[in-house]
Amino acid sequence: MISTIDMTREQLENLLESALRFKRGEDTSKPLAGKSVALVFFNPSLRTRASMQVGIYELGGNAVVLEPGGTSWTLEHRVGAVMDSDKTEHVAEFVRVLERYCVAIGVRTFAAMKDWQEERRDPVLDAFAKYASVPIINLESAMHHPCQSLADMLTIREKLGRGRKRVVLTWAWHPKPLPMAVPNSFALAAAQMGHDLVIAHPSGYDLDKELIETSLQAARAAGASVEITNDIDAAFTGAEVIYAKSWGSKQFYGNTDQDLATRAQYRSKWIVDEENMSRTNNAIFMHCLPVRRNVIVTDGVIDSPASVVIDQAENRLHVQKAVLARLFGG
Ligand code: CP
């Protein structure tokens, strides 16, 4: 469960239907009874950690939460590394020991924002997958956050019904460059689900070329479209979904100061406010959270009836239960 890339539309639909059965209380199965799932967090989390722990409990299982460098040893992932510095244990042993206790391993490992070419290959998650013989569940890596995008798709389905929507993924100004996992996974899943996707960002803040190409192919296969624009006003016009997210520029990985200097000009324009929302077709407002109020989105928008961010966060629980049930025979 690294991304939704290899999932068919039918598999995605089945996961959303399963999530809805859990949400409505129609599915009370316990496919994890007597089983433990490891959750490995290299980075902080509220929603992912809490919803995974609760979901595993509700499926009858036990969550083992580990934080390398905190509650477990610092971890090396590079093949052939000479471990004479700050790393105590290699992923090769970490994974193969953990899977003697646990039936799956969830991993959160953000981009370090230092080397784009290296990080776009998701090297840490890749190392876990390489050594594991149990399922690896991506809880947000440098490039993908599939559990988030499944919850996003479920939320759009619940709020707006089935069928094709004009879905706008908009970049927003933020005081530091952030990874691209959420926008990547949202773009991909929206295209796979047959929405007309508009990606709006300032010049120079393009998403990964290969990811965009994959999304374009998925959209074509689903009879939908992907449009990329640098014009935030045009993007918002007629939108049914506004999904806000900030991300760093690929060209400035390893050079935060240059990214910050470049993005300064976009602060007042690239924010979701009441004026931008008034151009939409009564769009719902979405964000994966955590969100910086009055930076990414104004209080007026996030506190309005258009905002579905809390339902979106709740849906993390239901889609992750669906994923775990699918993996373990529920
Ligand atoms: N959206 C999301 O993944 O939230 P956390 O970072 O709090 O887990």
Side-chain angles (χ1 to χ4, degrees):
M1 178 60 184
I2 302 297
S3 84
T4 61
I5 283 176
D6 296 322
M7 292 186 193
T8 63
R9 173 80 178 266
E10 188 185 4
Q11 287 171 324
L12 290 170
E13 295 278 1
N14 287 343
L15 278 175
L16 299 190
E17 287 304 318
S18 169
L20 281 172
R21 285 194 294 279
F22 279 117
K23 187 169 186 174
R24 294 185 195 120
E26 294 163 5
D27 188 342
T28 55
S29 60
K30 307 278 182 202
L32 290 179
K35 298 182 169 78
S36 291
V37 175
L39 304 174
V40 182
F41 285 90
F42 288 86
N43 311 99
S45 165
L46 166 63
R47 281 142 289 270
T48 306
R49 179 174 173 154
S51 59
M52 284 299 290
Q53 281 193 265
V54 170
I56 291 163
Y57 168 77
E58 289 182 1
L59 294 177
N62 170 60
V64 178
V65 181
L66 299 165
E67 295 144 325
T71 53
S72 66
W73 305 110
T74 49
L75 276 184
E76 176 61 69
H77 68 276
R78 294 168 301 162
V79 174
V82 178
M83 293 169 56
D84 58 0
S85 183
D86 58 334
K87 302 291 167 55
T88 308
E89 182 150 39
H90 199 281
V91 171
E93 285 75 51
F94 181 90
V95 165
R96 289 182 291 183
V97 168
L98 260 189
E99 65 185 21
R100 298 286 173 101
Y101 316 136
C102 298
V103 295
I105 304 174
V107 186
R108 164 161 287 199
T109 170
F110 290 170
M113 312 286 297
K114 288 184 179 152
D115 181 338
W116 167 250
Q117 288 306 335
E118 162 89 1
E119 292 173 36
R120 70 176 296 283
R121 294 188 296 102
D122 257 336
V124 179
L125 191 67
D126 194 47
F128 273 77
K130 174 180 167 178
Y131 294 110
S133 58
V134 296
I136 297 293
I137 302 170
N138 185 352
L139 302 179
E140 188 173 346
S141 65
M143 285 296 281
H144 294 285
H145 197 354
C147 296
Q148 181 65 52
S149 64
L150 288 170
D152 299 337
M153 293 307 115
L154 182 61
T155 308
I156 294 172
R157 169 77 51 92
E158 282 186 307
K159 299 297 176 187
L160 302 177
R162 285 178 174 273
R164 193 168 164 176
K165 309 291 172 224
R166 182 175 162 86
V167 169
V168 176
L169 168 63
T170 180
W171 186 89
W173 183 87
H174 187 281
K176 62 178 192 176
L178 299 177
M180 297 182 193
V182 169
N184 283 345
S185 286
F186 181 80
L188 179 62
Q192 288 177 295
M193 292 300 291
H195 293 300
D196 288 326
L197 173 68
V198 179
I199 305 174
H201 58 71
S203 176
Y205 284 81
D206 318 65
L207 294 177
D208 181 65
K209 204 172 156 192
E210 195 176 312
L211 185 285
I212 292 294
E213 185 52 40
T214 307
S215 302
L216 273 167
Q217 285 170 13
R220 275 189 215 113
S225 62
V226 178
E227 179 192 331
I228 299 169
T229 179
N230 300 144
D231 184 342
I232 187 172
D233 294 338
F236 273 61
T237 303
E240 293 167 280
V241 174
I242 295 296
Y243 196 106
K245 187 72 185 80
S246 192
W247 61 87
S249 171
K250 297 179 301 211
Q251 62 188 321
F252 300 136
Y253 264 51
N255 194 341
T256 301
D257 290 346
Q258 209 174 339
D259 194 327
L260 295 183
T262 301
R263 67 174 54 205
Q265 63 189 300
Y266 302 124
R267 180 166 187 169
S268 59
K269 185 75 180 168
W270 289 82
I271 181 172
V272 180
D273 59 14
E274 292 86 331
E275 189 188 330
N276 282 336
M277 288 298 282
S278 72
R279 272 192 283 277
T280 69
N281 181 12
N282 290 317
I284 55 171
F285 170 75
M286 302 182 73
H287 190 280
C288 61
L289 304 181
V291 70
R292 293 190 184 223
R293 282 172 173 255
N294 303 308
V295 172
I296 301 283
V297 57
T298 59
D299 285 340
V301 172
I302 197 169
D303 292 330
S304 76
S307 175
V308 299
V309 296
I310 306 300
D311 295 322
Q312 217 182 321
E314 181 194 332
N315 283 339
R316 292 290 307 277
L317 170 65
H318 309 302
V319 296
Q320 288 155 194
K321 285 172 74 176
V323 168
L324 288 163
R326 174 76 188 82
L327 289 172
F328 296 100

PDB file of all heavy atoms in Angstrom, residues 244-265:
ATOM      1  N   ALA A 244      -6.819  22.951  -0.727  1.00  0.00           N
ATOM      2  CA  ALA A 244      -5.641  23.803  -0.550  1.00  0.00           C
ATOM      3  C   ALA A 244      -4.471  23.012   0.015  1.00  0.00           C
ATOM      4  O   ALA A 244      -4.661  22.149   0.881  1.00  0.00           O
ATOM      5  CB  ALA A 244      -5.986  24.955   0.384  1.00  0.00           C
ATOM      6  N   LYS A 245      -3.295  23.286  -0.467  1.00  0.00           N
ATOM      7  CA  LYS A 245      -2.088  22.660   0.084  1.00  0.00           C
ATOM      8  C   LYS A 245      -0.884  23.479  -0.381  1.00  0.00           C
ATOM      9  O   LYS A 245      -0.827  23.896  -1.526  1.00  0.00           O
ATOM     10  CB  LYS A 245      -1.948  21.215  -0.407  1.00  0.00           C
ATOM     11  CG  LYS A 245      -0.824  20.444   0.250  1.00  0.00           C
ATOM     12  CD  LYS A 245      -1.134  20.097   1.694  1.00  0.00           C
ATOM     13  CE  LYS A 245       0.026  19.436   2.423  1.00  0.00           C
ATOM     14  NZ  LYS A 245       1.029  20.422   2.882  1.00  0.00           N
ATOM     15  N   SER A 246       0.058  23.639   0.504  1.00  0.00           N
ATOM     16  CA  SER A 246       1.314  24.277   0.120  1.00  0.00           C
ATOM     17  C   SER A 246       2.360  23.206  -0.132  1.00  0.00           C
ATOM     18  O   SER A 246       2.313  22.130   0.468  1.00  0.00           O
ATOM     19  CB  SER A 246       1.799  25.209   1.234  1.00  0.00           C
ATOM     20  OG  SER A 246       2.849  26.011   0.742  1.00  0.00           O
ATOM     21  N   TRP A 247       3.299  23.487  -1.032  1.00  0.00           N
ATOM     22  CA  TRP A 247       4.429  22.583  -1.224  1.00  0.00           C
ATOM     23  C   TRP A 247       5.648  23.372  -1.693  1.00  0.00           C
ATOM     24  O   TRP A 247       5.518  24.501  -2.185  1.00  0.00           O
ATOM     25  CB  TRP A 247       4.089  21.444  -2.186  1.00  0.00           C
ATOM     26  CG  TRP A 247       3.709  21.810  -3.585  1.00  0.00           C
ATOM     27  CD1 TRP A 247       4.556  22.007  -4.638  1.00  0.00           C
ATOM     28  CD2 TRP A 247       2.375  21.979  -4.106  1.00  0.00           C
ATOM     29  NE1 TRP A 247       3.829  22.290  -5.771  1.00  0.00           N
ATOM     30  CE2 TRP A 247       2.487  22.275  -5.480  1.00  0.00           C
ATOM     31  CE3 TRP A 247       1.097  21.900  -3.550  1.00  0.00           C
ATOM     32  CZ2 TRP A 247       1.386  22.507  -6.303  1.00  0.00           C
ATOM     33  CZ3 TRP A 247      -0.007  22.135  -4.371  1.00  0.00           C
ATOM     34  CH2 TRP A 247       0.139  22.426  -5.725  1.00  0.00           C
ATOM     35  N   GLY A 248       6.801  22.757  -1.509  1.00  0.00           N
ATOM     36  CA  GLY A 248       8.053  23.419  -1.897  1.00  0.00           C
ATOM     37  C   GLY A 248       8.353  23.205  -3.366  1.00  0.00           C
ATOM     38  O   GLY A 248       7.848  22.277  -3.994  1.00  0.00           O
ATOM     39  N   SER A 249       9.194  24.086  -3.895  1.00  0.00           N
ATOM     40  CA  SER A 249       9.580  23.965  -5.301  1.00  0.00           C
ATOM     41  C   SER A 249      10.696  22.936  -5.446  1.00  0.00           C
ATOM     42  O   SER A 249      11.679  22.962  -4.693  1.00  0.00           O
ATOM     43  CB  SER A 249      10.066  25.323  -5.808  1.00  0.00           C
ATOM     44  OG  SER A 249      10.636  25.171  -7.081  1.00  0.00           O
ATOM     45  N   LYS A 250      10.554  22.054  -6.444  1.00  0.00           N
ATOM     46  CA  LYS A 250      11.588  21.030  -6.699  1.00  0.00           C
ATOM     47  C   LYS A 250      12.945  21.673  -6.915  1.00  0.00           C
ATOM     48  O   LYS A 250      13.974  21.154  -6.502  1.00  0.00           O
ATOM     49  CB  LYS A 250      11.240  20.233  -7.962  1.00  0.00           C
ATOM     50  CG  LYS A 250       9.982  19.448  -7.888  1.00  0.00           C
ATOM     51  CD  LYS A 250       9.711  18.721  -9.177  1.00  0.00           C
ATOM     52  CE  LYS A 250       9.600  19.654 -10.342  1.00  0.00           C
ATOM     53  NZ  LYS A 250       8.698  19.221 -11.399  1.00  0.00           N
ATOM     54  N   GLN A 251      12.938  22.827  -7.590  1.00  0.00           N
ATOM     55  CA  GLN A 251      14.221  23.450  -7.950  1.00  0.00           C
ATOM     56  C   GLN A 251      14.955  24.017  -6.737  1.00  0.00           C
ATOM     57  O   GLN A 251      16.145  24.303  -6.811  1.00  0.00           O
ATOM     58  CB  GLN A 251      14.012  24.538  -9.001  1.00  0.00           C
ATOM     59  CG  GLN A 251      13.126  25.670  -8.525  1.00  0.00           C
ATOM     60  CD  GLN A 251      12.775  26.632  -9.642  1.00  0.00           C
ATOM     61  OE1 GLN A 251      13.597  26.934 -10.474  1.00  0.00           O
ATOM     62  NE2 GLN A 251      11.536  27.113  -9.639  1.00  0.00           N
ATOM     63  N   PHE A 252      14.220  24.175  -5.599  1.00  0.00           N
ATOM     64  CA  PHE A 252      14.855  24.747  -4.412  1.00  0.00           C
ATOM     65  C   PHE A 252      15.066  23.727  -3.296  1.00  0.00           C
ATOM     66  O   PHE A 252      15.347  24.112  -2.160  1.00  0.00           O
ATOM     67  CB  PHE A 252      14.029  25.921  -3.884  1.00  0.00           C
ATOM     68  CG  PHE A 252      13.870  27.045  -4.880  1.00  0.00           C
ATOM     69  CD1 PHE A 252      12.645  27.649  -5.070  1.00  0.00           C
ATOM     70  CD2 PHE A 252      14.961  27.494  -5.628  1.00  0.00           C
ATOM     71  CE1 PHE A 252      12.492  28.679  -5.985  1.00  0.00           C
ATOM     72  CE2 PHE A 252      14.822  28.517  -6.547  1.00  0.00           C
ATOM     73  CZ  PHE A 252      13.583  29.113  -6.734  1.00  0.00           C
ATOM     74  N   TYR A 253      14.901  22.425  -3.587  1.00  0.00           N
ATOM     75  CA  TYR A 253      15.235  21.424  -2.558  1.00  0.00           C
ATOM     76  C   TYR A 253      16.700  21.650  -2.173  1.00  0.00           C
ATOM     77  O   TYR A 253      17.567  21.779  -3.050  1.00  0.00           O
ATOM     78  CB  TYR A 253      15.050  20.007  -3.114  1.00  0.00           C
ATOM     79  CG  TYR A 253      13.707  19.367  -2.792  1.00  0.00           C
ATOM     80  CD1 TYR A 253      12.513  20.031  -3.048  1.00  0.00           C
ATOM     81  CD2 TYR A 253      13.628  18.085  -2.229  1.00  0.00           C
ATOM     82  CE1 TYR A 253      11.289  19.455  -2.760  1.00  0.00           C
ATOM     83  CE2 TYR A 253      12.396  17.499  -1.938  1.00  0.00           C
ATOM     84  CZ  TYR A 253      11.235  18.185  -2.215  1.00  0.00           C
ATOM     85  OH  TYR A 253      10.026  17.607  -1.931  1.00  0.00           O
ATOM     86  N   GLY A 254      16.968  21.715  -0.889  1.00  0.00           N
ATOM     87  CA  GLY A 254      18.339  21.972  -0.442  1.00  0.00           C
ATOM     88  C   GLY A 254      18.666  23.449  -0.382  1.00  0.00           C
ATOM     89  O   GLY A 254      19.784  23.818  -0.001  1.00  0.00           O
ATOM     90  N   ASN A 255      17.711  24.319  -0.748  1.00  0.00           N
ATOM     91  CA  ASN A 255      17.963  25.763  -0.714  1.00  0.00           C
ATOM     92  C   ASN A 255      16.696  26.487  -0.232  1.00  0.00           C
ATOM     93  O   ASN A 255      16.020  27.178  -0.990  1.00  0.00           O
ATOM     94  CB  ASN A 255      18.363  26.258  -2.112  1.00  0.00           C
ATOM     95  CG  ASN A 255      18.955  27.650  -2.050  1.00  0.00           C
ATOM     96  OD1 ASN A 255      18.758  28.365  -1.069  1.00  0.00           O
ATOM     97  ND2 ASN A 255      19.662  28.040  -3.100  1.00  0.00           N
ATOM     98  N   THR A 256      16.395  26.293   1.034  1.00  0.00           N
ATOM     99  CA  THR A 256      15.169  26.842   1.626  1.00  0.00           C
ATOM    100  C   THR A 256      15.088  28.355   1.476  1.00  0.00           C
ATOM    101  O   THR A 256      14.027  28.913   1.165  1.00  0.00           O
ATOM    102  CB  THR A 256      15.116  26.473   3.127  1.00  0.00           C
ATOM    103  OG1 THR A 256      15.140  25.056   3.232  1.00  0.00           O
ATOM    104  CG2 THR A 256      13.865  26.997   3.790  1.00  0.00           C
ATOM    105  N   ASP A 257      16.217  29.027   1.690  1.00  0.00           N
ATOM    106  CA  ASP A 257      16.193  30.499   1.641  1.00  0.00           C
ATOM    107  C   ASP A 257      15.734  31.004   0.283  1.00  0.00           C
ATOM    108  O   ASP A 257      14.987  31.978   0.188  1.00  0.00           O
ATOM    109  CB  ASP A 257      17.584  31.068   1.965  1.00  0.00           C
ATOM    110  CG  ASP A 257      17.928  30.868   3.431  1.00  0.00           C
ATOM    111  OD1 ASP A 257      17.003  30.542   4.204  1.00  0.00           O
ATOM    112  OD2 ASP A 257      19.108  31.008   3.796  1.00  0.00           O
ATOM    113  N   GLN A 258      16.179  30.322  -0.775  1.00  0.00           N
ATOM    114  CA  GLN A 258      15.793  30.761  -2.110  1.00  0.00           C
ATOM    115  C   GLN A 258      14.300  30.525  -2.367  1.00  0.00           C
ATOM    116  O   GLN A 258      13.631  31.339  -2.993  1.00  0.00           O
ATOM    117  CB  GLN A 258      16.630  30.042  -3.167  1.00  0.00           C
ATOM    118  CG  GLN A 258      16.793  30.896  -4.409  1.00  0.00           C
ATOM    119  CD  GLN A 258      17.733  30.264  -5.413  1.00  0.00           C
ATOM    120  OE1 GLN A 258      18.551  29.419  -5.060  1.00  0.00           O
ATOM    121  NE2 GLN A 258      17.608  30.677  -6.662  1.00  0.00           N
ATOM    122  N   ASP A 259      13.803  29.392  -1.848  1.00  0.00           N
ATOM    123  CA  ASP A 259      12.362  29.131  -1.983  1.00  0.00           C
ATOM    124  C   ASP A 259      11.575  30.217  -1.246  1.00  0.00           C
ATOM    125  O   ASP A 259      10.629  30.800  -1.788  1.00  0.00           O
ATOM    126  CB  ASP A 259      12.020  27.733  -1.436  1.00  0.00           C
ATOM    127  CG  ASP A 259      10.620  27.282  -1.868  1.00  0.00           C
ATOM    128  OD1 ASP A 259       9.726  28.139  -2.002  1.00  0.00           O
ATOM    129  OD2 ASP A 259      10.417  26.067  -2.078  1.00  0.00           O
ATOM    130  N   LEU A 260      11.989  30.528  -0.022  1.00  0.00           N
ATOM    131  CA  LEU A 260      11.262  31.531   0.772  1.00  0.00           C
ATOM    132  C   LEU A 260      11.295  32.899   0.103  1.00  0.00           C
ATOM    133  O   LEU A 260      10.288  33.621   0.081  1.00  0.00           O
ATOM    134  CB  LEU A 260      11.834  31.611   2.187  1.00  0.00           C
ATOM    135  CG  LEU A 260      11.659  30.338   3.034  1.00  0.00           C
ATOM    136  CD1 LEU A 260      12.197  30.548   4.441  1.00  0.00           C
ATOM    137  CD2 LEU A 260      10.189  29.921   3.095  1.00  0.00           C
ATOM    138  N   ALA A 261      12.447  33.245  -0.459  1.00  0.00           N
ATOM    139  CA  ALA A 261      12.564  34.548  -1.137  1.00  0.00           C
ATOM    140  C   ALA A 261      11.660  34.585  -2.371  1.00  0.00           C
ATOM    141  O   ALA A 261      11.012  35.596  -2.653  1.00  0.00           O
ATOM    142  CB  ALA A 261      14.018  34.802  -1.533  1.00  0.00           C
ATOM    143  N   THR A 262      11.597  33.471  -3.073  1.00  0.00           N
ATOM    144  CA  THR A 262      10.793  33.418  -4.304  1.00  0.00           C
ATOM    145  C   THR A 262       9.306  33.467  -3.986  1.00  0.00           C
ATOM    146  O   THR A 262       8.531  34.165  -4.639  1.00  0.00           O
ATOM    147  CB  THR A 262      11.122  32.126  -5.082  1.00  0.00           C
ATOM    148  OG1 THR A 262      12.511  32.133  -5.374  1.00  0.00           O
ATOM    149  CG2 THR A 262      10.329  32.033  -6.373  1.00  0.00           C
ATOM    150  N   ARG A 263       8.893  32.727  -2.962  1.00  0.00           N
ATOM    151  CA  ARG A 263       7.456  32.631  -2.679  1.00  0.00           C
ATOM    152  C   ARG A 263       6.895  33.867  -1.975  1.00  0.00           C
ATOM    153  O   ARG A 263       5.672  34.025  -1.906  1.00  0.00           O
ATOM    154  CB  ARG A 263       7.153  31.375  -1.867  1.00  0.00           C
ATOM    155  CG  ARG A 263       7.736  31.389  -0.451  1.00  0.00           C
ATOM    156  CD  ARG A 263       7.295  30.195   0.379  1.00  0.00           C
ATOM    157  NE  ARG A 263       7.563  28.923  -0.274  1.00  0.00           N
ATOM    158  CZ  ARG A 263       6.888  27.802  -0.020  1.00  0.00           C
ATOM    159  NH1 ARG A 263       5.924  27.812   0.881  1.00  0.00           N
ATOM    160  NH2 ARG A 263       7.188  26.683  -0.624  1.00  0.00           N
ATOM    161  N   ALA A 264       7.756  34.737  -1.461  1.00  0.00           N
ATOM    162  CA  ALA A 264       7.272  35.907  -0.708  1.00  0.00           C
ATOM    163  C   ALA A 264       6.252  36.716  -1.517  1.00  0.00           C
ATOM    164  O   ALA A 264       5.258  37.210  -0.987  1.00  0.00           O
ATOM    165  CB  ALA A 264       8.452  36.783  -0.306  1.00  0.00           C
ATOM    166  N   GLN A 265       6.474  36.813  -2.833  1.00  0.00           N
ATOM    167  CA  GLN A 265       5.591  37.612  -3.696  1.00  0.00           C
ATOM    168  C   GLN A 265       4.176  37.026  -3.790  1.00  0.00           C
ATOM    169  O   GLN A 265       3.259  37.699  -4.238  1.00  0.00           O
ATOM    170  CB  GLN A 265       6.196  37.690  -5.098  1.00  0.00           C
ATOM    171  CG  GLN A 265       6.314  36.335  -5.765  1.00  0.00           C
ATOM    172  CD  GLN A 265       7.110  36.348  -7.060  1.00  0.00           C
ATOM    173  OE1 GLN A 265       6.755  37.035  -7.993  1.00  0.00           O
ATOM    174  NE2 GLN A 265       8.200  35.586  -7.090  1.00  0.00           N
TER     175      GLN A 265
END
